Amino acid sequence: MKFGKRLKQQIQETLPGWGDKFLSYKELKKLVKSISSCAPQMMSGSVEYGKAEAEFVYLLNNEIDKFNAFFMEQEEDFIIRHKELQQRIGRVIDTWGPNGSEPSETDYKEELGKIRKDIVDFHGEMVLLINYSNINYTGLAKILKKYDKRTGGLLRSPYIQKVLQQPFFTTDLISKLVKECESTIDSVFPPPSDVERGLILGSGVAGEGIFRNTVAALLNMQQIRKGSSTYGRFSLPPLNLPDQSDVIQSQSLQLSSPIAIP
């Protein structure tokens, strides 16, 4: 699949409000085409060539500023939400759990059920943000490759070194929160029985809402690491997330299985 189509698909499959935060790939591609059509008449190092390259870099810098602002805003929100979810779990256990101040099996199950859904949705949003970082980095690498190839420039290598230092590219904290969410789910919400597992996986849960978008994002992150035209020193690092099949099964089970009282 060509990158332009892949990007369009990812925008359609992300959260509402995220669409205009992605790379303006189509516009950048048009600019590269415009510059390359004049390249034969512009000597490398000439004033005209310098102006054309400066315009291209200016637009790239604007895109990076857009990525960073959005990514850091989401990251800050995720840190706060992660703490709130941990506090909610603690309050439910301390209040309605078997050893709580007001033990109530009904209230305990009901409240933990709400939290479980929120955690799964939260986990999915963080996976989507990692995918956002990946797809935009890949788009930048591809458009820079097009620029160098069509204009004879040597912009990609030094510019990518700059990109690697940007906040939107650094997903270590989000990946850590993803893993902490998974640990919370494993420790607080016991896995369903084999019978429940079969019933849940056959119920079609995987086609719903953010879950569907999360699965699509995981598949995309795997595909863009399969040795595409950006494979090599410009490639993304190995995916530091669970295998997508594990997430599919884990999320669908956690969304649908009943809460057990430990």
Side-chain angles (χ1 to χ4, degrees):
M1 182 187 296
K2 289 186 176 181
F3 181 77
K5 290 184 178 179
R6 184 187 298 280
L7 176 60
K8 183 178 180 180
Q9 179 179 319
Q10 289 302 304
I11 291 174
Q12 292 172 342
E13 292 174 342
T14 195
L15 295 175
W18 286 30
D20 62 349
K21 309 302 181 183
F22 284 82
L23 180 70
S24 302
Y25 185 75
K26 188 175 181 180
E27 289 72 18
L28 287 166
K29 191 175 176 182
K30 286 180 180 178
L31 180 57
V32 170
K33 184 177 180 179
S34 175
I35 294 172
S36 64
S37 67
C38 301
Q41 289 78 42
M42 294 189 298
M43 294 291 292
S44 179
S46 68
V47 174
E48 293 81 4
Y49 186 91
K51 286 182 178 179
E53 184 169 283
E55 180 184 1
F56 180 67
V57 171
Y58 176 78
L59 292 178
L60 287 180
N61 289 341
N62 285 344
E63 292 295 287
I64 287 180
D65 289 343
K66 176 177 71 177
F67 302 156
N68 286 339
F70 177 71
F71 186 90
M72 290 188 292
E73 180 183 7
Q74 294 300 312
E75 189 176 61
E76 182 178 352
D77 179 61
F78 289 161
I79 292 171
I80 294 171
R81 288 170 62 188
H82 178 261
K83 291 180 180 178
E84 289 175 343
L85 284 167
Q86 298 300 318
Q87 291 171 354
R88 284 175 63 192
I89 291 171
R91 285 197 297 268
V92 168
I93 293 174
D94 292 343
T95 304
W96 294 299
N99 299 314
S101 57
E102 302 174 30
S104 170
E105 182 175 346
T106 300
D107 290 336
Y108 183 77
K109 287 184 176 180
E110 181 180 346
E111 293 304 314
L112 274 191
K114 293 176 182 177
I115 294 173
R116 177 170 57 185
K117 182 182 184 304
D118 289 343
I119 289 178
V120 172
D121 285 348
F122 178 52
H123 179 279
E125 288 181 45
M126 290 192 292
V127 170
L128 289 175
L129 188 64
I130 294 173
N131 182 57
Y132 170 85
S133 170
N134 289 183
I135 197 76
N136 285 309
Y137 169 81
T138 302
L140 287 171
K142 285 182 176 292
I143 202 68
L144 284 161
K145 182 178 181 181
K146 284 183 183 293
Y147 178 86
D148 283 1
K149 181 178 180 180
R150 295 188 179 185
T151 68
L154 297 171
L155 190 59
R156 180 168 63 151
S157 184
Y159 200 88
I160 286 296
Q161 294 305 311
K162 171 186 175 180
V163 172
L164 298 180
Q165 307 303 316
Q166 299 302 311
F168 89 90
F169 183 78
T170 308
T171 59
D172 292 349
L173 176 58
I174 300 299
S175 296
K176 179 183 177 183
L177 291 179
V178 167
K179 291 184 181 298
E180 288 182 8
C181 270
E182 291 160 4
S183 296
T184 298
I185 289 174
D186 289 342
S187 62
V188 178
F189 309 111
S193 66
D194 290 340
V195 173
E196 290 170 340
R197 186 184 301 270
L199 290 173
I200 293 164
L201 291 178
S203 66
V205 170
E208 298 181 359
I210 192 172
F211 179 85
R212 179 182 62 247
N213 296 340
T214 304
V215 173
L218 285 162
L219 290 170
N220 178 68
M221 285 189 279
Q222 288 183 340
Q223 289 168 359
I224 62 178
R225 285 169 167 77
K226 285 185 177 179
S228 65
S229 59
T230 57
Y231 187 73
R233 60 197 178 102
F234 301 110
S235 298
L236 287 160
L239 187 60
N240 188 28
L241 286 172
D243 181 77
Q244 60 95 3
S245 61
D246 294 337
V247 174
I248 291 171
Q249 186 179 69
S250 173
Q251 286 201 346
S252 61
L253 292 174
Q254 288 298 337
L255 278 168
S256 304
S257 59
I259 297 288
I261 300 294

